[in-house]
Amino acid sequence: MAPMAPLHILFLSFTFLAALSSAAGDGWLEAHATFYGDMSGGETMQGACGYGNLFDQGYGLATTALSSVLFNGGKTCGACFEIQCFNDTRWCAPGSVTVTATNLCPANWSKPSDNGGWCNPPRNHFDLSMPMFVKITKDYHAGIVPILFRRVTCWKKGGIKFEIKGNPFWMLVLVYNVAGAGDVTAVSVKGSATGWITMSRNWGQNWQTSEKLQGQSLSFSVTASDGRTVWSMDVAPANWQLGQTFEGKQF
Ligand SMILES: *[C@@H]1O[C@H](CO)[C@@H](O)[C@H](O)[C@H]1NC(C)=O
Ligand SMILES: *[C@@H]1O[C@H](CO)[C@@H](O)[C@H](O)[C@H]1NC(C)=O
């Protein structure tokens, strides 16, 4: 048996752990945040999740790009995070923001990870829209601040939206405005004359199938990272066209 550590060392490690867990308790993790674009949010449009006009799609300015570790090949697209500035009395403003992940902050290996290459693996990093960054800081001149972040439930108005794209031989469906966990892990489509067809992720939250479903009404099932599934039956009528968007049920 190992000799017991002197009591004062045990006490010190206990207080150290207690301090750590109170700083980053309740599921909060440490990372850093920067911003991209300007106050208009225009620069945040489109992006690696495959969303389009973020204002029309309900995300607005409350968005963030994620470093590749957090982005996870697009699997985290649509997830919501609460973020607060942390441990920087010069730049931190009180309060927090809740943002949806809509883009990737790519690694840049020509810059060191601690000096400009903020999104390089293995860093957890949030590149916020400028309007979100200035809410958690006193001034955008902060440039980069330490933050605490945690996953939170997404709140969205209305149902899940399905934008049908692609061509007659290949259906691509953008799934957006997803409440709850927010990040979709599986999508299936069913034509009125078919069974359920599993779609595969093309990129971001764009899901694809090569089944030909023209002239059939369409139903969708959407499964999120918390394992819950919602079924939206016959959301698109038989005469649906490429380019149209349909609204289904919500988590
Ligand atoms: C807070 O910031 C100081 C100064 O940058 C740093 O030395 C310290 O480790 C930070 N504390 C935590 C809990 O991150
Ligand atoms: C990476 O950083 C360099 C140096 O600042 C810059 O010139 C280049 O455009 C960056 N590359 C990307 C992909 O952002």
Side-chain angles (χ1 to χ4, degrees):
M1 210 176 104
M4 235 172 100
L7 207 56
H8 69 276
I9 292 183
L10 281 178
F11 179 73
L12 274 179
S13 8
F14 175 77
T15 43
F16 177 67
L17 284 175
L20 263 187
S21 63
S22 68
D26 303 324
W28 291 100
L29 297 170
E30 293 183 33
H32 285 81
T34 47
F35 67 91
Y36 72 121
D38 58 22
M39 288 303 281
S40 75
E43 290 279 322
T44 65
M45 296 294 166
Q46 318 295 334
C49 288
Y51 303 128
N53 183 313
L54 297 174
F55 295 110
D56 293 349
Q57 293 178 347
Y59 298 105
L61 295 168
T63 63
T64 188
L66 302 177
S67 60
S68 54
V69 166
L70 289 170
F71 188 74
N72 193 16
K75 293 196 175 79
T76 313
C77 288
C80 295
F81 295 90
E82 185 182 5
I83 291 173
Q84 60 179 71
C85 189
F86 164 65
N87 189 34
D88 188 332
T89 48
R90 180 165 176 215
W91 294 111
C92 284
S96 66
V97 292
T98 297
V99 290
T100 306
T102 58
N103 205 354
L104 166 70
C105 175
N108 188 339
W109 292 111
S110 71
K111 296 179 187 170
S113 298
D114 60 355
N115 188 13
W118 310 121
C119 292
N120 295 351
R123 292 178 63 98
N124 283 337
H125 190 87
F126 292 81
D127 204 14
L128 295 166
S129 70
M130 188 180 185
M132 295 299 109
F133 187 80
V134 300
K135 277 193 185 175
I136 60 164
T137 57
K138 291 175 187 160
D139 187 320
Y140 73 89
H141 288 104
I144 177 168
V145 289
I147 58 155
L148 296 177
F149 72 98
R150 62 178 171 185
R151 279 289 296 271
V152 293
T153 301
C154 300
W155 299 97
K156 304 291 178 201
K157 263 192 218 161
I160 297 172
K161 301 276 182 63
F162 302 92
E163 182 183 349
I164 304 180
K165 306 184 286 187
N167 60 44
F169 310 101
W170 172 64
M171 178 190 263
L172 187 67
V173 178
L174 172 66
V175 181
Y176 67 92
N177 197 53
V178 180
D183 49 345
V184 172
T185 56
V187 178
S188 294
V189 61
K190 185 182 136 20
S192 41
T194 73
W196 286 100
I197 298 153
T198 302
M199 303 185 85
S200 62
R201 189 190 300 275
N202 182 285
W203 62 290
Q205 288 299 2
N206 281 299
W207 296 79
Q208 64 186 354
T209 178
S210 51
E211 294 283 334
K212 288 158 200 66
L213 299 168
Q214 274 78 13
Q216 300 183 42
S217 67
L218 303 178
S219 305
F220 292 96
S221 83
V222 174
T223 303
S225 63
D226 59 359
R228 293 169 64 206
T229 299
V230 290
W231 287 268
S232 300
M233 303 308 293
D234 295 314
V235 283
N239 64 349
W240 61 265
Q241 301 293 319
L242 295 174
Q244 289 184 318
T245 299
F246 300 96
E247 183 169 1
K249 298 226 180 307
Q250 188 55 278
F251 282 102

